[in-house]
Amino acid sequence: MGIAAVVGAGIFSTIGIASFDGGPGVTILFIITAITCGFSALCYAEFASRIPVAGSAYTYAYASFGELIAWIIGWDLLMEYAIGNIAVAISWSTYFVNLLEGFNIHMPDYLTTDYFTAFKAHEQLQQLTASGHIKDITDAIKTGAAAWNTAPGIDNIKLIANIPALAIVIGITYLVYIGIRETKKATNAMVYLKLAIVLAVIVIGFFYVTPANWHPFLPNGFRGVMKGVSGVFFAYIGFDAISTTAEECENPQRDLPRGMIYSLIICTVLYILIALVLTGMVSFKDLNVGDPLAYVFAKVHLNNISYIISISAVIATASVLLIFQLGQPRIWMSMSRDGLLPKAFSRIHPKYKTPSFATIVTGFVVAIPALFMNLTEVTDLTSIGTLFAFVLVCGGVLLLPREAAKTGKFHLPYINSKYIAPVVFIAGIIAFWKPMLGLFSGESAHENFPYVLFILLSATLTVLAFIKNLSLIPVLGLLSCFYLMTELGYTNWLRFLIWLVIGLVIYFTYGHKHSVLGKEGK
């Protein structure tokens, strides 16, 4: 199930954008992200061992931090699921359009892309043409510019929308509304299909690799590699879905940690190999596309394989969309049952036995933005939301009382961070003191706010680790996740904070007054 959740839209879509930003060196980022997720997975496993009930980070936050933080993480998860689904829908659309091309069916470009991408591509084409940099005009720029130029409209007000993305969300929402039960056989079949395609891409693609494309390995430096954080991390966000199955596990204390760690290792190896093949088959400059796996084979004139990949991607991404579109209404439902949202969200359909109102709201929340939003913006927001959830889970583990290990029950290995954390912190200051001083100077110094926050958090955790003998793994998990959040940029932090403020307004104007926990306390 972990592989089913992780091998989805990430490997079929956002891996291309990450490779475009970081070049072949994006493989380093996969290793960094896998280690970060590994720390978080161990913390999730600790919670799952102690609280073997469904609900994932929302339930864990409720148990360790209380209602307010639980609301914040629940509200954050709503954004993560909704915007993640928007990204999956956009990715599905790209592969579906490529699949139609295989049957000689061509949809107008302005009905298969978003407004912002088309407008940006139009401007880039004009600038590159005017400056004589014709070689820098990629296929993605040509397609986006064509969408802008052919779209009907008046002046700069043009009809540009991603219709296939809208269609798949409507279809999946209908299926979720009437109720659907996925069996173990169906899930396993999806996993085998995905793995077969990924392995085929690696094996066949290996014969078309041009080693010269791997030079330079870090074309945009380490900063370029880190720019791909959202694209790479988006590929991993599914692993925490395993923790929602705690109630269905025969032995959650044993099976959940194994499932998380094994799926992370297997998927990381696959991702690294895929990234090397993609950047070896074509120049990294050409990979800023929504369907990189199909694109590289079309580029080396293996169109039949490109269409087979598109068929697989259409099925694989639709299944991921289905799983997360099933999950999101149930988060609305859980929060509604706790009194934090109106009762309508926990209303169960008398015939289909599904959270009907929550499902319809979810459909609208995903379908409308999928028409107009850009894939990069979407993955950035999803990644920052997921990382925030991981930060709170790691922090929650630090608040749990330490227990003695029990036979057959997973227990997070305790390593005292009393001296390790200060040594790591001091080493970091010595190594990066020059860039740290630069954070406070320049016209755009305010945009370094996330980094300053990270330094303050690191210092605080270091002091607490020394005084309270904190466990090392959750400390490293919290800091590594928060660091990746800082790499997602000032604009995404602003958007994320605005979303949290909206959530807090809803909580204090409605949730706090109607809270079941609050009423019991009174």
Side-chain angles (χ1 to χ4, degrees):
M1 189 171 179
I3 295 170
V6 175
V7 180
I11 202 164
F12 283 104
S13 177
T14 57
I15 196 172
I17 299 169
S19 300
F20 171 76
D21 288 326
V26 76
T27 50
I28 298 170
L29 186 53
F30 278 114
I31 296 168
I32 293 171
T33 307
I35 293 169
T36 301
C37 288
F39 291 140
S40 302
L42 290 170
C43 293
Y44 265 93
E46 175 76 6
F47 265 121
S49 175
R50 297 197 192 194
I51 313 168
V53 294
S56 188
Y58 173 71
T59 302
Y60 303 155
Y62 218 112
S64 54
F65 291 106
E67 185 180 86
L68 176 60
I69 302 298
W71 163 265
I72 291 172
I73 197 66
W75 186 248
D76 169 58
L77 286 172
L78 291 178
M79 182 188 77
E80 174 196 329
Y81 272 74
I83 297 184
N85 275 352
I86 293 166
V88 176
I90 294 169
S91 172
W92 184 91
S93 169
T94 311
Y95 276 101
F96 181 70
V97 170
N98 188 62
L99 178 61
L100 291 180
E101 293 286 346
F103 295 100
N104 294 318
I105 302 171
H106 179 71
M107 285 187 71
D109 292 325
Y110 60 86
L111 294 181
T112 61
T113 190
D114 64 278
Y115 191 93
F116 177 76
T117 298
F119 176 71
K120 191 177 178 182
H122 170 71
E123 287 197 327
Q124 283 180 319
L125 184 68
Q126 287 186 327
Q127 290 169 1
L128 291 171
T129 304
S131 61
H133 294 86
I134 307 297
K135 290 182 179 179
D136 293 332
I137 300 174
T138 63
D139 292 341
I141 293 174
K142 290 177 185 176
T143 304
W148 179 265
N149 294 326
T150 57
I154 304 168
D155 295 328
N156 284 345
I157 303 171
K158 293 180 177 284
L159 174 63
I160 301 174
N162 197 333
I163 300 302
L166 173 69
I168 186 61
V169 174
I170 292 173
I172 292 292
T173 302
Y174 174 72
L175 282 176
V176 173
Y177 182 83
I178 63 172
I180 186 164
R181 294 183 178 184
E182 290 190 292
T183 63
K184 183 182 177 184
K185 288 182 180 178
T187 305
N188 286 352
M190 290 290 182
V191 173
Y192 294 140
L193 171 67
K194 293 176 188 180
L195 289 181
I197 293 300
V198 169
L199 291 172
V201 168
I202 292 169
V203 173
I204 299 170
F206 174 78
F207 293 100
Y208 291 87
V209 164
T210 305
N213 287 329
W214 288 334
H215 302 286
F217 191 69
L218 298 172
N220 299 317
F222 189 69
R223 294 298 307 165
V225 170
M226 295 309 292
K227 194 178 177 184
V229 163
S230 66
V232 168
F233 190 79
F234 181 77
Y236 281 99
I237 64 171
F239 93 84
D240 72 326
I242 303 170
S243 65
T244 65
T245 66
E247 292 179 20
E248 285 79 21
C249 274
E250 188 174 319
N251 187 348
Q253 286 87 354
R254 181 197 65 195
D255 297 339
L256 284 177
R258 288 182 182 179
M260 289 177 178
I261 301 301
Y262 291 165
S263 60
L264 276 177
I265 293 170
I266 292 167
C267 293
T268 300
V269 172
L270 290 175
Y271 280 169
I272 289 171
L273 292 174
I274 280 283
L276 288 173
V277 167
L278 290 180
T279 53
M281 289 178 71
V282 301
S283 169
F284 72 94
K285 295 177 183 177
D286 293 327
L287 287 172
N288 191 18
V289 293
D291 56 343
L293 270 65
Y295 174 80
V296 292
F297 282 98
K299 197 76 173 173
V300 295
H301 310 296
L302 294 176
N303 291 322
N304 290 336
I305 293 177
S306 174
Y307 297 138
I308 291 169
I309 290 171
S310 292
I311 294 169
S312 308
V314 163
I315 296 168
T317 50
S319 70
V320 173
L321 187 63
L322 178 60
I323 290 167
F324 285 102
Q325 203 74 348
L326 269 169
Q328 191 187 348
R330 282 144 186 84
I331 296 176
W332 294 100
M333 183 178 71
S334 297
M335 296 172 75
S336 175
R337 284 175 175 172
D338 290 332
L340 302 181
L341 287 174
K343 288 183 179 179
F345 286 95
S346 56
R347 188 187 301 150
I348 303 298
H349 194 282
K351 180 181 177 182
Y352 301 124
K353 309 299 180 188
T354 58
S356 51
F357 180 77
T359 301
I360 292 170
V361 170
T362 298
F364 276 107
V365 167
V366 175
I368 294 172
L371 277 171
F372 310 109
M373 286 190 78
N374 176 274
L375 187 62
T376 305
E377 292 176 342
V378 168
T379 51
D380 283 351
L381 273 174
T382 307
S383 296
I384 199 169
T386 309
L387 282 165
F388 182 66
F390 289 1
V391 164
L392 283 185
V393 169
C394 293
V397 169
L398 290 172
L399 293 181
L400 293 175
R402 281 203 291 273
E403 293 179 353
K406 295 178 183 177
T407 306
K409 184 177 179 180
F410 177 80
H411 194 65
L412 193 68
Y414 175 72
I415 303 169
N416 194 340
S417 62
K418 184 180 183 74
Y419 300 110
I420 299 174
V423 168
V424 171
F425 181 72
I426 293 167
I429 290 177
I430 293 170
F432 300 104
W433 67 273
K434 282 187 178 179
M436 284 169 65
L437 289 176
L439 294 175
F440 303 97
S441 58
E443 292 181 4
S444 58
H446 63 284
E447 293 188 6
N448 295 323
F449 161 73
Y451 293 101
V452 174
L453 208 58
F454 171 73
I455 293 168
L456 292 174
L457 177 67
S458 302
T460 304
L461 262 182
T462 300
V463 173
L464 289 173
F466 185 79
I467 296 172
K468 295 183 175 288
N469 298 322
L470 297 179
S471 178
L472 182 64
I473 291 174
V475 167
L476 292 177
L478 197 158
L479 290 177
S480 56
C481 288
F482 201 91
Y483 173 71
L484 290 183
M485 282 181 72
T486 64
E487 290 290 343
L488 291 172
Y490 180 71
T491 305
N492 288 306
W493 272 74
L494 273 183
R495 291 169 180 166
F496 179 61
L497 291 174
I498 290 168
W499 175 258
L500 289 185
V501 168
I502 293 169
L504 287 173
V505 169
I506 294 172
Y507 173 75
F508 286 110
T509 55
Y510 181 88
H512 185 64
K513 295 177 183 177
H514 297 83
S515 162
V516 173
L517 195 67
K519 288 177 181 177
E520 287 175 356
K522 289 175 184 176

